[in-house]
Amino acid sequence: MKINRIKLKIILLIFTTLIPLSILKITEIKRGVEASIEAELEVCQDYAEAINLAFMNFIERTWSSQYILGRSLIAHPERGNEYIEDHLKSIASDNQLFEIHYYWSTPEGIVNISSHETDMVIDISGRDSYKEIISGKEKVIGNLEYSAVNGELIISISRAIRVDGELKGIVINTIEAKDMKYIFPINRIGAGSTFGLVDRDANIVYQLIGDNVQIEKRKAGEDSPARRALKGEIVKTRARYSEQDGVERMGVDYPIKEIGWSSFVTTPVEQVLASGRQLSIKNIVIFVLIYIISFIIAMMLSSGFAESIDKLKLAAQKVKAGDLNVKTGISEGDDLGDVGQAFDSMVEALNIKAKEEEEYNNLKSEFLTTISHEFKTPLNIILGSIQLLESSDITNHEEFYGIFNKYIKLQKQNSYRLLRLINNFIDINKIEDNHIKIKLCNNDIVKVVEDITMSIVEYTKLKDISIIFDTDVEEKIIAFDADMIERIMLNLLSNSIKFTERGGEIEVNIYNEEGKVKISVKDNGIGIPEDKLEMIFDRFGQVENSLRRRTEGSGIGLSLVKSLVELHEGTISVQSEFGRGTEFVIELPDKVIENDFIAKNEENTFNAERIHVEFSDIYV
């Protein structure tokens, strides 16, 4: 019965995993449809650009021809109107595709010569195109209008002919709206698609379908994309109802900025979505087949998986009970061989991690014990000093003052020890929480380090230790935080004094290398065992008690030093030989802050109180 439940769960699991795959596939289909729509809109936009280009090429050619014609006509005024009329008719008859009519207007706006077989005289002085020419324009295209000659819907193309700035006449061409199809590359448009032009008054000048419409019904709606395109915007719409053929369409309205018109290209929505529906049906069939095949595979695999799953379940229960030495017993040849091996490796890793955690907790306990001692020792000294002072005979002033000065000094020094310990704890926690910010300033690192080194000479004299400062460069300006460098150097020098015997030697050296500045603090003290070198910068890492107890201190100062060096984007390393001495090497990046002044160090500017705090656990 248990095996049947496992089989059922495996089957359900396989089908459950197919659900997100199905969702992803459906999403992919939707994206495919979206991609098809976007692709179609891109095609529409490309074709709209082609329409605009073809139309503007036609207009520019017409304007050029008008200029040549006009200059030719005014060059021979003696030939008379009859010659001009015959010339216009001759030019108009040259067009093989569609009929273009030519007109000649006087500067006063009277059209008295044309290529039409008519003697009509037309006054265009009230028309907008004439007013634009009078205002100074050379080339003008008019909006859709009815022809005064034959009543057909036309657009007019006008060119002013001026000589030395004086208007001599106007050449006008008219083309019927229905003939504009010959201008455009219709062979590029897809089946069911349409395109057209809209003039400045939002009249649909021409469209591929439904072109036999009166001008009154050609006006684009107030919320039409065409009106937005007339303002210079490229408008893409995924659905618009076409009143001409009653079809839902998508398309692009594209501005023709040179003349203030716009074009549009549309495609039936149904035509674009049809391929998507076919793809959907195909994928549904594939889904059904996948589910059937998956069911068969699930039945075949479930028998082999059931035993392996039971072994995994039993092993997991033992791990839950706390047994980290358990093995699944699943071999590599089993159905879930890789899973079983991975589970065994994971449990083994957990076992190792648990042991490491135990060792870490032991280190923390030892560390806390050490810290407790470091708190307790100065507190005992302070309390003992207070008790001795309280029990002293204050009537013997000379004796009392001698005792008073001695024990006040002890209290002050041990108060510094407590303050140093607390400050180190606070600063380490601030660094871990990213609450300490480095304040970089361009400064002379050589002078700062030298001044810090010389400021602690009195402490080296207490143990008859020689301290030597040397540098291979007299001045080196880099960006660093002087307070942090002081803290780093005082901590390292304090360690060197504590672990160097009387008569020993401490060397502080600065080396200027490519891209970095190295600061070395070297002593010939007791040294550090090789197996302890890697842990001295750890917060809970401690050197053996037998060595640490030879001096006072919590051992967390080096962790703080490492963090402060890393805030400078630098590194710190240590080399030591047990019984012969230790060398700490700090490497700081050789860089400066742009547009920053160079700080000027004055003698004895270091905080004497800080030196007393950092060296509070040094006794003679």
Side-chain angles (χ1 to χ4, degrees):
M1 187 67 180
K2 182 187 292 185
I3 295 179
N4 290 336
R5 285 204 303 271
I6 292 175
K7 286 184 178 180
L8 179 60
K9 289 179 180 179
I10 292 174
I11 293 171
L12 290 175
L13 177 62
I14 291 176
F15 277 96
T16 301
T17 57
L18 289 174
I19 292 174
L21 292 176
S22 301
I23 294 173
L24 288 174
K25 193 63 180 178
I26 293 171
T27 303
E28 182 182 343
I29 293 171
K30 290 183 177 179
R31 289 177 179 173
V33 173
E34 287 292 321
S36 299
I37 293 173
E38 288 298 325
E40 183 62 31
L41 290 175
E42 288 297 324
V43 170
C44 290
Q45 180 171 330
D46 290 343
Y47 190 68
E49 292 175 354
I51 290 172
N52 293 359
L53 181 62
F55 185 58
M56 285 308 302
N57 285 341
F58 170 76
I59 297 298
E60 291 292 347
R61 289 197 307 271
T62 301
W63 278 328
S64 297
S65 300
Q66 288 175 333
Y67 180 76
I68 295 171
L69 174 63
R71 296 293 295 189
S72 174
L73 293 178
I74 64 174
H76 303 284
E78 72 281 355
R79 295 180 178 178
N81 290 350
E82 184 176 347
Y83 167 77
I84 296 175
E85 182 176 337
D86 291 340
H87 191 59
L88 293 179
K89 290 179 179 178
S90 173
I91 294 173
S93 63
D94 288 340
N95 196 315
Q96 301 296 320
L97 295 176
F98 56 94
E99 187 175 8
I100 298 179
H101 298 291
Y102 286 79
Y103 300 87
W104 174 262
S105 168
T106 66
E108 294 76 26
I110 303 300
V111 177
N112 54 4
I113 303 173
S114 73
S115 60
H116 267 293
E117 295 291 342
T118 177
D119 294 330
M120 290 182 63
V121 175
I122 305 171
D123 185 355
I124 64 170
S125 60
R127 297 185 182 181
D128 291 338
S129 57
Y130 176 78
K131 293 177 181 179
E132 289 183 58
I133 288 177
I134 291 299
S135 67
K137 279 193 174 183
E138 295 293 327
K139 300 178 287 186
V140 177
I141 181 169
N143 295 320
L144 187 68
E145 60 183 339
Y146 287 110
S147 171
V149 177
N150 58 13
E152 293 289 342
L153 286 174
I154 62 168
I155 60 168
S156 61
I157 305 167
S158 305
R159 177 69 187 254
I161 307 301
R162 288 184 170 89
V163 177
D164 296 330
E166 181 183 354
L167 182 64
K168 294 297 185 177
I170 304 169
V171 179
I172 303 170
N173 288 90
T174 62
I175 177 175
E176 295 183 6
K178 61 183 176 61
D179 289 335
M180 293 181 68
K181 60 186 176 182
Y182 300 108
I183 299 173
F184 306 114
I186 299 178
N187 58 307
R188 291 181 57 186
I189 198 72
S193 299
T194 186
F195 66 90
L197 291 174
V198 179
D199 65 18
R200 291 188 299 273
D201 284 344
N203 296 313
I204 300 175
V205 177
Y206 171 79
Q207 56 186 351
L208 187 60
I209 59 173
D211 198 47
N212 298 320
V213 179
Q214 299 299 314
I215 193 170
E216 293 78 10
K217 297 182 179 180
R218 290 176 177 248
K219 187 75 69 174
E222 293 298 327
D223 58 347
S224 170
R227 290 188 179 270
R228 291 165 57 191
L230 290 174
K231 296 178 181 179
E233 180 182 355
I234 299 175
V235 185
K236 296 181 180 181
T237 50
R238 292 173 171 243
R240 62 174 78 177
Y241 178 74
S242 173
E243 294 183 355
Q244 281 70 34
D245 58 4
V247 175
E248 196 78 14
R249 293 178 170 272
M250 64 177 65
V252 174
D253 290 76
Y254 205 98
I256 309 176
K257 295 182 180 180
E258 296 90 340
I259 58 176
W261 286 32
S262 69
S263 63
F264 61 86
V265 178
T266 65
T267 299
V269 174
E270 179 66 24
Q271 178 177 313
V272 177
L273 297 181
S275 59
R277 273 196 291 269
Q278 293 176 357
L279 181 62
S280 299
I281 294 171
K282 177 182 178 182
N283 279 280
I284 290 172
V285 173
I286 293 174
F287 286 161
V288 173
L289 291 175
I290 289 175
Y291 275 99
I292 293 172
I293 294 171
S294 298
F295 179 78
I296 296 172
I297 293 174
M299 293 297 294
M300 295 172 60
L301 294 178
S302 59
S303 297
F305 284 148
E307 184 179 352
S308 297
I309 290 175
D310 277 338
K311 291 179 179 179
L312 282 171
K313 183 178 179 182
L314 180 61
Q317 289 173 346
K318 290 182 178 181
V319 171
K320 183 178 179 182
D323 183 3
L324 295 179
N325 295 311
V326 68
K327 296 291 183 180
T328 60
I330 300 175
S331 64
E332 293 184 2
D334 289 347
D335 291 330
L336 294 178
D338 291 342
V339 177
Q341 298 297 311
F343 185 89
D344 290 342
S345 298
M346 179 188 68
V347 173
E348 184 178 353
L350 287 174
N351 196 11
I352 295 172
K353 184 68 175 177
K355 291 179 180 178
E356 291 177 350
E357 187 72 21
E358 184 178 357
E359 292 177 3
Y360 181 75
N361 289 333
N362 290 336
L363 284 175
K364 285 182 66 176
S365 298
E366 183 180 347
F367 176 77
L368 292 174
T369 300
T370 302
I371 295 302
S372 298
H373 170 79
E374 296 302 327
F375 274 112
K376 186 177 180 181
T377 299
L379 283 174
N380 284 338
I381 294 174
I382 293 170
L383 290 173
S385 298
I386 292 173
Q387 290 173 358
L388 286 171
L389 286 173
E390 289 176 341
S391 63
S392 298
D393 183 6
I394 63 174
T395 59
N396 186 342
H397 291 176
E398 184 177 350
E399 180 183 349
F400 177 76
Y401 283 130
I403 296 172
F404 178 82
N405 289 333
K406 175 183 178 182
Y407 291 115
I408 283 297
K409 182 179 178 181
L410 279 175
Q411 291 181 55
K412 187 173 185 180
Q413 184 171 11
N414 283 278
S415 296
Y416 282 148
R417 287 180 61 189
L418 290 173
L419 181 60
R420 181 174 185 259
L421 186 61
I422 293 170
N423 285 343
N424 284 347
F425 265 120
I426 291 173
D427 289 342
I428 286 176
N429 288 326
K430 283 183 177 179
I431 289 173
E432 288 182 351
D433 295 336
N434 294 320
H435 288 161
I436 285 186
K437 303 299 181 183
I438 188 169
K439 299 177 182 177
L440 294 177
C441 178
N442 294 335
N443 209 335
D444 184 0
I445 188 66
V446 176
K447 180 168 177 53
V448 169
V449 173
E450 181 180 9
D451 289 347
I452 295 170
T453 304
M454 294 300 102
S455 70
I456 56 94
V457 169
E458 63 178 281
Y459 286 94
T460 60
K461 289 180 179 179
L462 292 175
K463 293 183 66 175
D464 193 24
I465 295 173
S466 300
I467 186 163
I468 302 170
F469 175 82
D470 194 15
T471 176
D472 65 0
V473 61
E474 293 302 319
E475 181 182 87
K476 184 63 181 178
I477 303 298
I478 64 172
F480 63 92
D481 187 320
D483 286 339
M484 289 188 181
I485 294 297
E486 180 184 2
R487 191 80 175 276
I488 292 166
M489 291 302 300
L490 289 177
N491 192 290
L492 295 178
L493 290 169
S494 172
N495 281 344
S496 293
I497 294 174
K498 283 188 291 184
F499 292 104
T500 301
E501 301 292 348
R502 284 183 175 279
E505 184 178 275
I506 299 173
E507 296 180 19
V508 178
N509 293 284
I510 297 180
Y511 305 100
N512 183 29
E513 299 184 359
E514 185 176 358
K516 61 187 175 183
V517 175
K518 293 174 66 173
I519 304 171
S520 167
V521 179
K522 183 178 182 181
D523 62 61
N524 57 358
I526 62 175
I528 305 170
E530 185 177 354
D531 60 339
K532 301 297 181 182
L533 285 176
E534 293 185 0
M535 64 185 297
I536 64 171
F537 293 113
D538 294 340
R539 182 175 180 181
F540 298 129
Q542 297 289 328
V543 183
E544 292 181 8
N545 288 338
S546 60
L547 297 175
R548 180 169 47 80
R549 284 298 168 211
R550 296 180 60 180
T551 62
E552 299 294 343
S554 63
I556 63 172
L558 289 176
S559 173
L560 177 61
V561 165
K562 182 174 184 291
S563 298
L564 295 179
V565 171
E566 289 176 348
L567 284 174
H568 284 81
E569 298 180 6
T571 61
I572 183 170
S573 59
V574 60
Q575 293 180 348
S576 184
E577 185 176 350
F578 186 54
R580 302 194 64 177
T582 304
E583 181 182 15
F584 287 92
V585 178
I586 299 169
E587 294 185 0
L588 300 177
D590 183 2
K591 66 178 183 180
V592 295
I593 302 173
E594 295 183 1
N595 302 323
D596 189 24
F597 68 92
I598 298 176
K600 295 181 179 180
N601 290 305
E602 303 293 341
E603 296 292 339
N604 302 320
T605 57
F606 295 105
N607 190 334
E609 189 78 6
R610 177 178 291 174
I611 296 175
H612 292 320
V613 171
E614 292 293 339
F615 287 76
S616 60
D617 51 5
I618 296 177
Y619 291 88
V620 182

